[in-house]
Amino acid sequence: MSAGAAIPNLVRGRDVTADRTIDADVAIVGSGPGGSIAAYRLASAGARVVVLEEGGYHTRPEFRMQEEWSYPNLYQDHANRTTDDLSITVLQGRSVGGGTTVNWTTSLRTPAATLDFWKRKRRVEGVSLEALAPHWDEIERRLSVHTMEPAEINENNRVLREGAKRLGYGFEPLPRNVSDCVLTGMCGLGCPVDAKQAMHLTYLPDAAARGAVIYADARVRRLVRKGRRVAEATAEVLDESGDRAAGPTLTVRARTFVLSAGAINTPRLLQRSAFPDPYKIVGRRTWIHPTLASAAHFDRRIEPYFGAPQTVGSHHFAVRPGKVGYFIETPPAQPMLAGLAHAGFGPEHRRAMKELPSSAVLIGLLIDGFLDEERGGTVTERAGGRLSFRYERVPPLEEAMREALKTMARIHLAAGAREVVTFHEPPLRIRSESDLAAIDAASVAPNRCALFTAHQMGGAPMGEDPGIAVVDSRLRHHLFDNLYVMDGSVFPTSLGVNPMISILGLSSLASSALAKAG
Amino acid sequence: MLTRRQLVRRGIVGAILFAAAGATAAFWWPTRRRRPRPGLRVFDESEASILAAVATAVLAIEPGAPSPEDVDVVGRVDALLARSPAPVRREFARLLHLFENGTTGLITATGWTSFTAAGPASREARLRAWETSRIAVFRTGFQAMKRLCAAAYYSSPASWAAVGYPGPPDVLA
């Protein structure tokens, strides 16, 4: 078991009993991958850095592999975040370390084709594989990114590998950011042995060792502007429950502000602060890798709740010219997540749950944002501080939903599944290739077929054209000289891979340049 | 101009029903209440009774396994909602009344009795009608109830043995 370094000088909500005014060189909102590596780079360059994190500071002693504790405490809106119509479940981290505390560890670099698309279609300049490579090299070393040994691959992932192999689909081992992983499979609940090299164990302690001060339980309410500059940020200190204002406020004055609150909360903060948005782009074009799930029953034990998730993936269908591509991965399936996700009700739902030990589960993630007709999601801050999130479906997306479902069913059947159970309402049962026509016939309208997202991107995109981008290619706001966005919001499309390493690499590139510029 | 079908698809009809039917429910079709439960922070007695009936039908736990009452599904959902913003709490309570209401039973052609007074077959038909309704707001309502019941039940360690989940591995020693 690796020893988890505590974050020196971290301030919790309960430590703040009166209003405080804080002067800093750089104020960073959010402690996920974007904010953490920016804090490290800037503090390393000698800047006085303050990080304001809305979530609590939760660490290994609390990570006891209990879904009933982890989901309400480590996810946005107690893991009840969804689109307005509940048709897409939004899993998004909320604690010191952000999404890295609860993600499933997949550590892939941004595909070259995605960077090329941004350059050609969204006027992004200087964000290239060559520019990012040295940053990624260093990040991957710091986070112990590596692929698993064959013996470390669980049954659920072997099913994907076997099925893909028999069908001739490409598949690959997925690198993970773990050190001395003991394969609990509980990554989504906070790693119980500190094997996962999340931000609260890596770049945040590194930044704090160089003088950065991290505040937990500090929810930034608004930014105050003065001409072309941001003058201060005001935050409310949250109480022990993590939900309600405890009373004291923090006023942070800084020379530079960095927003790293993630692709839903960063646009909300800009909206809440009533910052100008002449082209109506803040919170628009939010991309989410709309994610389908599919389960299959086998005549042997799979135990999809144990063992490292996402050690094998398939990008065989990632590029489908003129269509929405998708990739396939393997989630962990503990009972609560399985119970939430399984479609239907009554005996059919119960039966699916009782087959959990012999079930394999796949997810299909749609690569959204690359077709002209796609509009993606719209994030709006409503009165009373509530989120409105809508996601627009277009026919190519529904086509890809059906194709991804069929691909997952084929993989499971090829690997020897007795029966595939889809997440349609009501669920379809598929026992052979000839049953796949049922997927073409079934409705995939909102709440007729379960969709999830664990990857939130866009809403404050980068690019040189202020008509379509909120920040420039160095991640500086087009209208404010001392305001930067360093998180998944800046991606002009989705990525086609799990986002952590892309966010780290791009934020590292931008914050290094900012540090040099002084 | 919008056709009726478009209106239905956009959920406008559903939204109006939501507003109107909830108000009348309590007068026309009284909810069959279970014994009063102390300690709830969000639900009143009738809401707790409706949710308990929904949980029983949605979860379909066989005899011998811990029942939704044993796991206190209602109390767990209540505790979760107590941490949610007031509008979320209000909307969910309104949803329960609407689902209970016989008027929506008529709209979905699944009988005019209240949900708590209906028999098992009628309860299943009502849930199925909401699950697959052409009216988007009913499908949303079904998902809200189903997901909260499933999450509350299966997050409880008491539920694990019956589905064959051995619990977390022993790595904390």
Side-chain angles (χ1 to χ4, degrees), chain A residues 65-66 68 78 80 85-86 89 186 241 243 305-306 335 339-340 342 344 346 348 350 354 357 386 425-426 446-447, chain B residues 57-58 60 62 76 80 83 87-88 91 128 131 139-140 143-144 146-147 150 154 157 160 162-165 167-169:
Chain A
M65 302 180 275
Q66 297 291 331
E68 63 179 329
H78 311 305
N80 286 321
D85 64 0
L86 306 193
T89 298
M186 305 293 162
S241 75
D243 301 316
Y305 31 75
F306 292 149
L340 267 176
H342 263 298
E348 68 196 341
R350 181 62 172 166
K354 294 193 79 154
R386 281 183 78 196
E425 298 287 358
N447 289 317
Chain B
V58 161
E62 67 283 0
R76 292 166 81 92
L80 183 68
R83 292 180 69 175
V88 173
E91 281 164 24
R128 185 67 81 197
E131 177 199 30
R139 300 200 303 272
T140 296
Q143 289 297 329
K146 190 212 98 174
R147 290 183 207 167
Y154 289 107
W160 295 345
V163 295
Y165 176 59

Side-chain angles (χ1 to χ4, degrees), chain B:
Chain B
M1 202 181 112
L2 289 171
T3 64
R4 185 182 162 276
R5 178 142 181 257
Q6 282 171 319
L7 273 172
V8 169
R9 274 185 23 204
R10 286 173 187 217
I12 293 168
V13 169
I16 293 165
L17 289 173
F18 238 108
T24 58
F27 299 105
W28 294 357
W29 291 280
T31 294
R32 221 170 254 186
R33 296 179 188 200
R34 305 191 173 194
R35 62 183 182 281
R37 333 172 12 115
L40 293 181
R41 289 190 283 170
V42 174
F43 298 131
D44 66 21
E45 207 181 300
S46 68
E47 288 151 6
S49 300
I50 299 163
L51 183 60
V54 170
T56 300
V58 161
L59 296 169
I61 306 304
E62 67 283 0
S67 70
E69 289 78 20
D70 294 337
V71 171
D72 193 21
V73 165
V74 172
R76 292 166 81 92
V77 174
D78 185 83
L80 183 68
L81 285 176
R83 292 180 69 175
S84 302
V88 173
R89 298 199 295 266
R90 277 197 301 275
E91 281 164 24
F92 190 72
R94 208 167 57 166
L95 164 67
L96 289 175
H97 288 295
L98 180 69
F99 184 69
E100 166 75 345
N101 187 345
T103 307
T104 49
L106 285 178
I107 291 161
T108 54
T110 54
W112 52 271
T113 49
S114 62
F115 183 75
T116 52
S122 170
R123 286 185 182 191
E124 189 191 328
R126 178 86 61 95
L127 282 164
R128 185 67 81 197
W130 278 53
E131 177 199 30
T132 58
S133 176
R134 296 177 71 113
I135 302 174
V137 73
F138 287 162
R139 300 200 303 272
T140 296
F142 170 83
Q143 289 297 329
M145 293 187 293
K146 190 212 98 174
R147 290 183 207 167
L148 283 171
C149 289
Y153 184 78
Y154 289 107
S155 62
S156 166
S159 72
W160 295 345
V163 295
Y165 176 59
D170 184 20
V171 294
L172 296 175

Side-chain angles (χ1 to χ4, degrees), chain A residues 214-247:
Chain A
I214 290 116
Y215 283 80
D217 313 305
R219 176 160 61 198
V220 175
R221 293 307 303 168
R222 63 192 298 258
L223 307 170
V224 180
R225 62 195 154 98
K226 211 170 186 179
R228 282 186 63 96
R229 296 182 68 80
V230 178
E232 61 184 44
T234 54
E236 57 193 11
V237 174
L238 302 179
D239 70 8
E240 292 289 309
S241 75
D243 301 316
R244 286 175 292 271

